[in-house]
Amino acid sequence: MGMKRGFGWASLAAATTMALAAGVTAAPAAHSADDPVQVVVDGHDVRADNVNGLTYKGLGLLSCNSTSNLLMDYKAEHPERYWQLIRVLFGGRNPLINHVKIEMGSDTNTSTGSDPATMRTADELADASRSPGFQLAADAKTVNPGLKVSILRWVMPQWVQTEWNKGTGTDEMYKWYKETILDAYEKYGYMVDYVDPDTNETTKPDLSFVKWYKNALTNDTEFADARYDLTPRQQRAAATAYHGIKIVASDENTTKNIGPAMLTDTELFGMVDAVGYHYTTEDRLDGTTDSATYRPYTKLATAAGGQDKEVWYSEGVGSFGWTDYRVNNTEGPGGASTGIGGVQSALDVANRSVKSYANSKRTHYIFQPAIGAFYEGAQYSHKELVSARDPWSGNIHYDAALYMMQHFTQFARTGWENATNTAGIWRTVPEASYSGVSGTENVDGSNGAPSYLTLADPRKRDFSTIAVNDSDRTKSYRIKAENMELGDDPAMEVWETRAADPGQAYDANFKHLAAELRPDGEGFYTYTVKPRSIVTFTTLDRSHDKATRQRLPESGARTVLDTDATGKRHDTRDGVLYADDFGYEEEGPVRVGTDNGARTVSQPYLTSRGNQPRYLVDQTGAWEVGKDSDGDNVLYQYLDQSMKDTGAWNRNTPNTTVGDFRWENYKASVDVSFPDPQGGLATLGVRQQKGMAATDAAYGIGIGPAGNWTFYRYGTALRTGTVAPADRYRLTVEAKDARVTVSVDGQAVAEYQDPTPVTGGRVKLGSDFHKVGFDNLKVEKVAGYTPYATALTDNMDGSVSYTGPWSRNASLGDAMNWYRSTSTGASAGASVTVPFTGTGLDVIGGNDGSAVLDVTLDGRPLARDARTVATDKRQATYRLRGLREGRHTATFTLRSGTIVLDAFTAISGDVDGRVDTTPLRTALDTVGSPDRSEWTADSWAVFSATRSAARAAVDGQRGLDVIGVAQVANRLTAARDGLVREGA
């Protein structure tokens, strides 16, 4: 375009902007924690003329850094579940989500993974279909045509970065933005509504570039370039829509500089339509009350003179963990549960929405992420509202925090006002909103202070007040309407969400009609809000509304990834766990939203997803299906030496992850090739549970075109060697229990017996910064070994019971713990009982190995003084194997030490091939036939039970594998050695 930095924007009148300083609306007086809360909703405070700052936009979601990757697989594998999700989040008369914000990818890791760059070079045509966020927005528009779409950047592609670093990259930046926007317009029929030209989470807003970008956007007349692939008719429509794009700035996190800048820079104020910042509920409070640094965001939103601005909480968290698990915590007073509340809970999220409005007038909250569609174990797993991590199973978990958010969106008309101010979007009412809870990001309501937000119909005919009580005390509210036109029936409904009472179903008290109120003689509606709950007081009649009473969909089973040789169809009978030749002939067409949501079209599988491969979640790198020299599909990693210095938050060499965290004993193999004449490196790893580097696979092999190979454990080289140089190799890693074997072209090159084995996890592919090819990925079962666990039960699942003292914590939990919760026992005699179905049970948790356990199975003693092992998070500190297949109940009693319980995994009985039971026969012969009368009852009970189990197993037992044989034999020997003579 040839544009350079400079400003041609026509400035607004200085007097208009200066009126902002006088526009602050006073907040209600602070409340005592023990006094009744009196809320007066005065119609004179409902500002119908404020169409931006006080209109309640509701909620948005952020799609970025791999968080939406697996959604495209859900769409292809279980379209009915995917489109149900679209309806739940975006559909209906009162949509939950009104905005999809897309952080444009750069093929590098910017948190939990990488999103594809829409343009990897300056010459490449933009392809928005690579990034699932653009398609998610297109599909959401089919049920919510008014949905807003915004984009911003964090890290830029290398071709932009190179010029930007020189101080001359404005044209390149503009080109990347524009061509991406127009490609999304051409493919999906919608124009992006907002652009933040600045970088995500800057600390120093680039005001000059924001102005430059707005100037370029406004004055751009070039829409006929063949690169845009727009028809003449589309060009005219695109130009009109493109010039209507609004500017949002500046997505700061630790700083709040854009607000004061807007108040003191008339030109900037005229160019920026919305301001947003992250991870704090607070306004800025520097200087005197009339200064630009004192409550600048409140001033921007509530200014007089019609110059109100939108203020967004433009990135915030969802509920950490799963609400249905964390209700079993012991974090309340005296070890009681905090229910759906506590720090980083569903009520915390609700309080953030209230407090961020009360303290800084944010009328829009954007979740990062709202949907977790990436594999668990990345940096920020389990902080979403919806979990969609198993596309092969169709399992989607809708967290109860969604009910909390519906308390805000289902009892008001939310969104953006139209140009004529006739859409009827409800206004926030500052004078009838307040929050006294503590904290700025992780909000704590345990002080019992009031926290409430009022929304009102601009015609003053109805209103709703949302009150959050995240304390262990009741809180009385007295609400009065003045100067409102409520009609002949001023009845008020009270909708409530809280945890279940004893004996109730888990969701019995989720978003239900709790009461109907009428005003007393003084005009007050009076109600006592229960501890750890959220209520919405509304004059709307929702008592018979089907949509308001609708329950969230059931999650469905999390079946293990076990397919036939196509990788498409579930099949537990063959020897394949998963396979991918990247051709996808087995995949059918996929429905895609287009024409700005007016219709859907069917597209070929790879076309619909920008050639992104099935089930792979990228951590770093440009992983995409392309054609080899023979015209066959191959998975390539495209980031090469020219792109290796692209910025990243978590810098790693390219790697991607595929598979099921429950996989344990398997053989993974893949063909690798090196089309880049400058070099290359290909790696294959197994048993990955957490982390975002290729070396976070527990065991793996790497090889280059010269034939130099390395066998590693978590990145530490165990063996090295050389095979003949070649353009391609087939790499294989087989992991069965503690023995790992790596092979090149079918020949074993190294073997390792791990004294502290990592026992389960996914497959990783990796490369260096060269174009490297991968093909014919295959994951197979190993004869004689159980291939996987079938189910994971969290330590806080309601089926798990505890006796004795346990600390059961979820607040501020570690993301590497399943669902961010743990139960810790350190007192002898404390026990935990777990029901399960399978042939074994693994106790998962990060432990120091000090715990010694007594184990009973189905009420019978199984082991005494059983040792645990020191383990990292997500690994087994104790493994119980060799059981008959079926339903069981295991009890673990702590004898000494400390144990941290994260989860329990039930082991499958799917074992292929013959299993040698000779070790069992040997053990039975060795223990012989002791005389029962010589031994104490307790020690004999353990011996008798283990001997009976050994006899049953040696005669043939379904699901018995090599590990089970060894464990049963060892338990029998230990039981014999543990016999205690009478009178000893």
Side-chain angles (χ1 to χ4, degrees), residues 778-858:
K778 195 171 187 179
V779 185
E780 302 171 87
K781 301 173 184 177
V782 178
Y785 288 83
T786 300
Y788 45 68
T790 54
L792 178 142
T793 302
D794 190 67
N795 72 94
M796 286 197 183
D797 188 277
S799 67
V800 181
S801 59
Y802 293 81
T803 61
W806 290 86
S807 175
R808 310 186 65 198
N809 298 318
S811 295
L812 304 172
D814 192 320
M816 294 305 104
N817 290 321
W818 285 101
Y819 310 113
R820 295 179 177 261
S821 66
T822 55
S823 294
T824 302
S827 300
S831 68
V832 58
T833 299
V834 187
F836 66 98
T837 299
T839 61
L841 187 73
D842 285 358
V843 180
I844 308 298
N847 278 278
D848 61 8
S850 66
V852 178
L853 307 173
D854 285 347
V855 184
T856 64
L857 182 74
D858 302 327

Side-chain angles (χ1 to χ4, degrees), residues 932-942 978-984:
R932 161 69 183 87
S933 63
E934 297 180 7
W935 312 101
T936 62
D938 287 347
S939 65
W940 182 262
V942 175
L979 285 172
V980 179
R981 290 189 179 276
E982 286 283 4

